Amino acid sequence: MLIFYLIFAFIVLFIFNTMAYSFCRKMELNELRSKKVYKVINMIMVTMLVCSYLRILNVAV
């Protein structure tokens, strides 16, 4: 189950980073602001993925 969840997390992070890249390009953000956008989005997504994994782990046990 852990391997499946890691693959799922990679796909989710890849999709969100692709959308963030499109957003930064469309809004014509400079490099510093786009790095901040990536950092915030990745922190939020990793937090959400960890919380959802812990929730799934509690349900499975």
Side-chain angles (χ1 to χ4, degrees):
M1 182 163 139
L2 179 64
I3 293 175
F4 170 75
Y5 200 80
L6 287 175
I7 293 170
F8 170 73
F10 176 76
I11 292 170
V12 168
L13 286 173
F14 178 75
I15 290 170
F16 272 87
N17 280 325
T18 304
M19 290 191 303
Y21 173 75
S22 297
F23 172 76
C24 290
R25 207 176 73 203
K26 183 175 182 176
M27 297 300 291
E28 298 176 357
L29 299 177
N30 62 9
E31 190 173 334
L32 181 61
R33 287 195 51 112
S34 63
K35 283 183 181 181
K36 287 181 183 179
V37 168
Y38 283 122
K39 190 175 185 179
V40 169
I41 288 175
N42 284 330
M43 287 187 331
I44 291 170
M45 289 309 301
V46 167
T47 304
M48 289 176 64
L49 287 167
V50 167
C51 290
S52 67
Y53 180 73
L54 292 176
R55 186 170 176 99
I56 290 171
L57 191 62
N58 280 338
V59 171
V61 172

